[in-house]
Amino acid sequence: MNDRQLMNKAADNIRILAASMVEKAKSGHPGGAMGGADFVNVLFSEFLIFDPDSPRWPGRDRFFLDPGHMSPMLYSQLAMIGKYSMEDLQNFRQWGSCTPGHPEVDVERGVENTSGPLGQGHTYAVGAAIAAKFLAHRFGWMMSQTIYAYISDGGIQEEISQGAGRIAGHLGLDNLVMFYDSNNVQLSTKVEEVSSEDIAMKYRAWGWHIIEVDGHDVEALRKALSEAKAIVGKPTLIIGHTVMGKGAISSDGGSGEDRISTHGQPLSKAGICMETTIKSLGGDPSNPFVIFPEVEQLYRSRLEELRELSRARKTEENRWRAEHPELSCKYDAWFANELPAIDWESIEQKPNQATRSASATVLAKLSESVENMIVTSADLSNSDKTDGFLKHTHAMRKGDFSGAFLQMGVSELTMACLTIGMALHGGVTAASGTFFVFSDYMKPAIRMAALMELPVKFIWTHDAFRVGEDGPTHEPVEHEAQIRLLEKLQNHSGENAMLVLRPADAIETTIAWQMAIENRKTPTALILSRQDIADLPASAQGRYNDATKARYGAYVVEADENPEIVLLASGSEVSTLAEAAKLLRAEGHRLQIVSVPSEGLFAKQAESYRESVLPRSMKKFGLTAGLPVNLLSLVGDESAIWGLNSFGFSAPYKVLDEKLGFTPEQVAARIKEQLTR
């Protein structure tokens, strides 16, 4: 073990760098970063296992930061192992910098997750730990890794910590070690002013092993980490009692520690003397962006130790590969995000069924075809039909991760973050299911999945007012408009931030799932019906061939010669248009019917294709069970869209169809009105 004095000096070095970054940027959060320096220094210099020359090595330990505002601590720590230069630290929070205000996932630099919204980061760690357990069951010691998480008082207070703590304890995730930076200071108050709960007792009740230490005592931290790694059958929470602004000295020469004011602004604005503080920590105020020579040597030695460990590990891995060639190929394929060959056309769908049921049929196929797929549901698997995946697998449970299904209980936000954590870990394909209306609980995580460009799959059923008797609390109206905004938003790679698919019938659902599975660039939303839907009319080439055109985001389902009007919709409304069209054709009208499962994908098609599907010169009529704005950019005239501008109502869905104007007869009448305008 390293000398205590040297370890304290290294932690002080991190404090100087973190405080100086915030000072130079004129914004940021220095206090917590200074308080947490001792733990991260011990972790990175003596415990965290990684390959310095192969950052994406699947078997590495992973460190998930929850309080993203403590990025100065993370960047300063990663600078110690050569991931950031002093120039990078000086460019903190600046345009084009690799050190943004809150960390953004960058595995090459050691940043395992984007963090900022408190509570999510440590929940990603729980998801990663679940993925690691799932993979360890299949690959054995190749996944003998530890997942570390770092959480602050704010993260503990966020409601999601309940879901993360409960499921981690319930599953006995002994590969998870979380450090709780308990400094009793928040941005606006002391913790004691807003909370009096017993954190240790709470986590102990969830089945965690608890260790309490002085968060600045190197020996205590070492002992705690060693103890945590030896625990079997439980995750470990290390409660480290730390001091906000550790080492800060005020302008009057007194202590500047334990102040609310040092949490969220440069120290100089909080009455702290930067010059005196840096000097007392062993630095040079005129040149604070320096790694002390002895600290540099400390980490140089650590990196060489890790290289030796990596060489020995690679030798063992090569021996394992030689003994298990098939598993070796599978291991590489899974972590390379390679997909197995799937005969999508062979999936037999029952006619005229709900798209949630069609999804269940596809999931049954995927459960035997995609061996590294994990599906979760928030206590709705027999209703959102994710239980189709259970046809060829079973649920995970403590001590048994041979199954590929996770029964989450009622915790939609936690579930979404767990799938994000699984995706961040790598080696698995993650999907989650619930009712569409409950996507409201998941919005913060959906946005983060989109920002991180993670290919998680969100399965949302009961997609419209046709939920029926359950009434407006369970009937999504505005939700599709909200989710489709992510189709209009670009991620940092220039792609639509999310692929949103609302298939129109059972066969289109198969194609939608194919698109979702093959989408490795962004999250995918599958929005599915509760009620049965009539199959759309098929051309001479067959319905499956027709539905493959859903890949273009929108396509012509059927068209009369020289149509007078284009009728367009997504989901179950397309079949309503098809029924209305029969009535209109009987009166001599000529029509073109278009299914638009993904407006965002359609917008990316060539102009010539878009013109063939939705000719600009032709009248249009849009039908949506959501807000009319869902189709406004395609129709161009809100008066030509029939949708729902109010919350829903409680009644059988066929009654609602009639009361709200969605029967084929009512829709046909509105189309005729549009034709006469």
Side-chain angles (χ1 to χ4, degrees):
M1 292 295 179
N2 297 301
D3 173 75
R4 178 197 289 264
Q5 186 175 356
L6 175 59
M7 292 292 282
N8 288 338
K9 190 172 185 66
D12 285 343
N13 201 163
I14 293 170
R15 291 185 177 98
I16 293 170
L17 292 173
S20 299
M21 289 169 66
V22 175
E23 200 69 26
K24 189 173 189 303
K26 297 182 172 60
S27 68
H29 300 74
M34 297 173 76
D38 296 285
F39 174 77
V40 292
N41 177 58
V42 172
L43 178 67
F44 275 79
S45 66
E46 297 183 355
F47 285 88
L48 194 74
I49 303 298
F50 59 95
D51 184 343
D53 305 313
S54 182
R56 295 183 181 276
W57 171 44
R60 70 187 182 279
D61 290 344
R62 287 157 173 79
F63 175 71
F64 287 84
L65 181 69
D66 190 296
H69 61 271
M70 291 177 65
S71 59
M73 177 189 75
L74 179 62
Y75 296 143
S76 298
Q77 177 61 71
L78 291 173
M80 299 293 173
I81 59 174
K83 296 296 185 181
Y84 292 95
S85 68
M86 292 299 102
E87 183 179 2
D88 294 332
L89 301 191
Q90 292 180 71
N91 286 328
F92 178 52
R93 289 179 163 238
Q94 304 308 301
W95 174 261
S97 168
C98 59
T99 48
H102 289 76
E104 297 172 20
V105 62
D106 187 347
V107 175
E108 294 294 324
R109 291 184 179 273
V111 180
E112 295 284 356
N113 64 295
T114 299
S115 55
L118 294 176
Q120 290 198 46
H122 82 288
T123 312
Y124 304 156
V126 177
I130 293 170
K133 284 286 188 180
F134 172 89
L135 293 165
H137 178 83
R138 288 143 181 86
F139 300 116
W141 68 270
M142 289 282 281
M143 284 287 104
S144 56
Q145 59 193 182
T146 301
I147 309 299
Y148 295 95
Y150 189 110
I151 193 170
S152 64
D153 292 304
I156 289 284
Q157 289 167 23
E158 283 287 353
E159 292 90 340
I160 192 175
S161 67
Q162 150 103 14
R166 172 183 58 79
I167 200 70
H170 179 69
L171 292 175
L173 299 178
D174 51 19
N175 60 341
L176 175 66
V177 177
M178 184 162 74
F179 179 77
Y180 166 32
D181 180 6
S182 178
N183 60 33
N184 196 41
V185 176
Q186 301 187 200
L187 185 65
S188 299
T189 68
K190 289 293 185 76
V191 171
E192 62 202 26
E193 297 177 52
V194 299
S195 177
S196 55
E197 65 181 350
D198 187 328
I199 304 298
M201 184 179 293
K202 180 171 70 173
Y203 276 85
R204 190 173 286 114
W206 286 330
W208 289 59
H209 178 66
I210 309 300
I211 306 171
E212 291 200 53
V213 297
D214 176 344
H216 302 298
D217 185 330
V218 171
E219 290 299 332
L221 290 168
R222 282 174 176 155
K223 182 179 178 182
L225 284 165
S226 297
E227 181 180 334
K229 286 179 65 66
I231 293 296
V232 176
K234 293 182 177 183
T236 295
L237 178 69
I238 300 172
I239 301 176
H241 297 284
T242 62
V243 176
M244 172 68 68
K246 175 71 173 174
I249 298 176
S250 68
S251 299
D252 62 7
S255 172
E257 298 178 339
D258 194 33
R259 292 186 179 182
I260 295 169
S261 60
T262 64
H263 186 293
Q265 62 183 336
L267 293 182
S268 61
K269 291 185 178 180
I272 303 300
C273 178
M274 280 295 292
E275 182 176 352
T276 306
T277 297
I278 292 173
K279 279 183 179 179
S280 73
L281 292 171
D284 178 359
S286 67
N287 186 25
F289 290 98
V290 170
I291 298 178
F292 301 149
E294 56 267 61
V295 175
E296 187 174 14
Q297 181 56 48
L298 164 68
Y299 277 96
R300 187 182 298 116
S301 298
R302 176 58 178 170
L303 292 177
E304 188 50 46
E305 289 175 8
L306 288 168
R307 287 188 175 96
E308 290 179 13
L309 284 171
S310 297
R311 286 191 286 270
R313 176 65 180 247
K314 283 184 174 63
T315 299
E316 290 299 314
E317 285 190 2
N318 289 337
R319 184 177 295 117
W320 178 85
R321 288 177 182 277
E323 294 172 355
H324 306 89
E326 290 185 10
L327 277 179
S328 176
C329 289
K330 187 178 293 186
Y331 178 90
D332 291 338
W334 289 9
F335 278 98
N337 284 325
E338 294 177 7
L339 293 173
I342 300 173
D343 185 358
W344 296 95
E345 192 170 1
S346 70
I347 297 175
E348 296 184 12
Q349 294 285 9
K350 295 178 181 178
N352 306 317
Q353 63 176 325
T355 52
R356 63 170 173 152
S357 299
S359 173
T361 301
V362 178
L363 283 168
K365 177 73 171 180
L366 294 177
S367 68
E368 59 180 349
S369 301
V370 185
E371 295 179 74
N372 64 332
M373 187 171 182
I374 299 175
V375 175
T376 73
S377 180
D379 196 39
L380 287 170
S381 58
N382 56 350
S383 194
D384 62 30
K385 298 300 182 183
T386 51
D387 61 358
F389 195 76
L390 283 165
K391 188 169 184 178
H392 299 289
T393 188
H394 54 274
M396 299 174 181
R397 56 183 62 90
K398 183 177 181 177
D400 179 9
F401 290 84
S402 59
F405 197 95
L406 179 59
Q407 293 286 11
M408 275 298 304
V410 185
S411 49
E412 292 84 1
L413 177 57
T414 301
M415 175 177 68
C417 287
L418 292 188
T419 60
I420 289 173
M422 294 173 193
L424 286 167
H425 180 279
V428 300
T429 295
S432 64
T434 188
F435 291 173
F436 193 25
V437 75
F438 298 145
S439 65
D440 281 342
Y441 287 114
M442 306 167 75
K443 295 286 171 48
I446 297 164
R447 186 174 189 272
M448 291 296 283
L451 180 60
M452 286 188 272
E453 303 178 20
L454 297 173
V456 294
K457 322 301 174 190
F458 296 107
I459 307 163
W460 291 315
T461 67
H462 297 61
D463 67 345
F465 67 79
R466 296 182 185 91
V467 170
E469 291 89 342
D470 279 343
T473 60
H474 283 54
E475 293 170 3
V477 176
E478 73 279 17
H479 297 70
E480 185 180 354
Q482 293 173 353
I483 291 299
R484 287 201 185 276
L485 287 174
L486 287 171
E487 288 194 299
K488 302 176 189 298
L489 183 69
Q490 300 292 292
N491 61 29
H492 288 165
S493 295
E495 303 284 345
N496 292 350
M498 191 173 200
L499 174 62
V500 181
L501 300 167
R502 188 170 179 243
D505 66 2
I507 299 300
E508 199 174 295
T509 302
T510 298
I511 302 302
W513 257 114
Q514 181 180 4
M515 295 166 68
I517 291 294
E518 293 176 355
N519 177 23
R520 315 306 287 177
K521 295 181 179 180
T522 70
T524 302
L526 291 154
I527 304 174
L528 308 169
S529 75
R530 177 201 185 200
Q531 82 285 356
D532 290 341
I533 300 174
D535 291 339
L536 297 183
S539 71
Q541 285 74 39
R543 179 67 191 124
Y544 181 86
N545 181 75
D546 297 344
T548 60
K549 297 172 188 173
R551 290 180 170 278
Y552 300 114
Y555 68 100
V556 177
V557 175
E558 60 176 355
D560 301 324
E561 188 174 353
N562 299 318
E564 305 166 64
I565 190 169
V566 178
L567 313 179
L568 62 146
S570 71
S572 56
E573 290 86 80
V574 183
S575 67
T576 303
L577 288 177
E579 290 300 312
K582 292 177 184 178
L583 301 174
L584 293 168
R585 287 195 185 101
E587 298 179 10
H589 292 292
R590 304 180 308 280
L591 314 160
Q592 179 161 303
I593 301 174
V594 172
S595 174
V596 191
S598 172
E599 178 189 348
L601 194 55
F602 180 62
K604 283 187 166 288
Q605 304 309 313
E607 184 177 352
S608 58
Y609 178 76
R610 287 185 279 122
E611 178 65 17
S612 70
V613 176
L614 297 177
R616 277 174 286 188
S617 61
M618 196 176 297
K619 288 185 175 182
K620 300 176 184 67
F621 175 84
L623 183 67
T624 174
L627 292 170
V629 72
N630 289 341
L631 298 174
L632 185 58
S633 66
L634 299 173
V635 175
D637 178 5
E638 189 166 350
S639 66
I641 303 170
W642 185 249
L644 198 59
N645 273 315
S646 73
F647 292 116
F649 303 88
S650 177
Y653 81 87
K654 290 187 178 180
V655 173
L656 291 177
D657 267 338
E658 189 269 325
K659 296 295 185 182
L660 299 175
F662 282 83
T663 67
E665 294 77 12
Q666 291 167 319
V667 170
R670 295 191 181 280
I671 295 170
K672 285 196 290 185
E673 289 178 10
Q674 182 64 15
L675 281 168
T676 60
R677 286 180 181 170

